[in-house]
Amino acid sequence: MKNCIQIPRILLPENGFETWAVIACDQFTSDRAYWERVKETVGSEPSTLNFILPEVYLGEEDEVRIKEIHENMYRALEEETITKLARGFVFCERATASGTRRGLVAAIDLEAYTCKRGEVSPIRSSEEVVPSRLPARVRLRRGAPLEFPHALVFYQDKKNRIVKALLREDLEKLYDFKLMEGGGHLTGYFVPEYLAEEIAEELYSREEPSFAVADGNHSIAAAKAYWEEIKKTLTGEEKLYHPARFTLVELVNLYDDAVEFHPIHRLIKEIDTEALCDFFSKRVKCKRQGSVLYPALPASAETVETVDAVIEEFVRVNGGKIDYIHGEKELLAFANEEDAAGIMLKPIEKDGFFERLKHGDNFPKKTFSIGEGVEKRYYVEGREISYD
């Protein structure tokens, strides 16, 4: 399938980007204080915080929260606090400690996407998708008129031709502001339809996958699951153009200088710390500093699989909860709390990233992230996904 990139009509707020943009819902999942600060910063201002369910709150009146999110979306449309752009992409520049990452906000065709091991497709997941993490995300999408995604999708452009060409264009600036909570600075430019069409053609590759989900694997898998529900109710013609068939992402060059792979560490909570450390150390050679273990294993997908198998075995027998933590400082802080322990992992390399995915393979769940926690994508652009 060649045409797996769609040129969308993107939604943006009329103003107030500083309070509008909040970080991805799957960040700071053990840090309620972070999300409480975000709530305080946003106050009563229009914000994407009103359209998402931060995972730190999962399991706490989910249905009530989801109903409120849908109502907030409809209210935003009715009160016209958001505006719809002409058809086109958004070229965005995110300045953080890692450098300036450049990407294109576009829509991908979910018919060209798969997360199933062994399947080959133009767009595929890069990490194993955990089925138990999808239902809440699908419920949130079901009945929602809008989407505000945080997914990053890689393409390959070793010479960075696409970004270099865009930097030469005189593009209309859409926003330029500082992100809250140390997220850096974000600038966005409108890429008109005629130019977006040329870029979409340039992005196409005959290799499969042409695109790989770098961040937000569960978000896109949930969008796919919802689309599979919807399309059962549609005619053949309707299936071609229904807005739920597509989902908004940021396309990023794997070879962008600011793209850095960071490990996602493991935090085991509500356990006997000594018991966990003893259990793990007998199965995996490692160093120990306090309640944090450092496996003496190479940076690889196989290492992540080994670590996960050991801690999952411990939890099955002894109880406890596993969380996934972005950032060394964050892991050290949480692991030093009572009844907790951490496993510090190493970052994987860029080389061989697409090669591993070629035959329908994945990296293990939560193997890597792009940038540190505060560098994750913030919700800014939106898109309509229903005809209501």
Side-chain angles (χ1 to χ4, degrees), residues 290-311:
S291 54
V292 177
L293 300 172
Y294 298 77
L297 296 171
S300 68
E302 291 73 23
T303 289
V304 176
E305 288 172 339
T306 297
V307 167
D308 282 348
V310 173
I311 60 177

Side-chain angles (χ1 to χ4, degrees), residues 255-276:
Y255 298 100
D256 187 304
D257 289 340
V259 168
E260 294 185 357
F261 284 106
H262 289 262
I264 301 178
H265 310 295
R266 274 45 178 167
L267 176 69
I268 308 91
K269 303 182 288 187
E270 300 177 20
I271 47 111
D272 180 324
T273 301
E274 290 302 318
L276 181 282

Side-chain angles (χ1 to χ4, degrees), residues 26-180:
D26 59 352
Q27 298 305 299
F28 302 101
T29 53
S30 289
D31 191 352
R32 283 178 175 267
Y34 177 93
W35 289 101
E36 293 303 316
R37 290 197 307 272
V38 171
K39 280 185 188 179
E40 188 174 344
T41 299
V42 167
S44 60
E45 296 298 315
S47 176
T48 53
L49 181 63
N50 300 318
F51 307 144
I52 65 168
L53 176 54
E55 291 189 5
V56 71
Y57 301 121
L58 274 180
E60 301 176 13
E61 299 185 318
D62 290 352
E63 296 308 317
V64 172
R65 291 178 184 273
I66 289 170
K67 184 173 184 292
E68 288 177 353
I69 288 167
H70 293 166
E71 290 171 352
N72 292 337
M73 289 180 174
Y74 280 108
R75 189 176 302 113
L77 287 169
E78 291 163 2
E79 296 177 356
E80 299 181 346
T81 56
I82 48 181
T83 186
K84 187 187 291 186
L85 304 181
R87 202 169 295 280
F89 295 158
V90 172
F91 177 49
C92 50
E93 297 182 311
R94 173 78 176 277
T96 69
S98 299
T100 299
R101 186 185 72 219
R102 296 179 170 92
L104 281 165
V105 181
I108 59 170
D109 186 350
L110 292 167
E111 284 291 308
Y113 161 84
T114 184
C115 62
K116 295 180 180 178
R117 189 178 292 273
E119 289 189 355
V120 177
S121 189
I123 309 167
R124 70 161 294 110
S125 60
S126 61
E127 291 187 345
E128 177 188 347
V129 170
V130 183
S132 63
R133 297 189 64 208
L134 297 183
R137 294 169 183 264
V138 174
R139 290 200 305 276
L140 196 153
R141 203 169 178 87
R142 191 184 295 134
L146 308 175
E147 65 170 3
F148 290 87
H150 65 262
L152 300 180
V153 173
F154 279 149
Y155 64 92
Q156 298 185 83
D157 181 7
K158 286 189 175 181
K159 296 184 179 179
N160 210 24
R161 291 171 298 190
I162 292 170
V163 165
K164 287 178 180 176
L166 283 167
L167 290 172
R168 291 193 295 268
E169 296 285 339
D170 184 19
L171 302 175
E172 174 194 356
K173 186 182 288 187
L174 298 170
Y175 52 74
D176 187 358
F177 66 102
K178 183 179 179 181
L179 293 160
M180 68 172 73

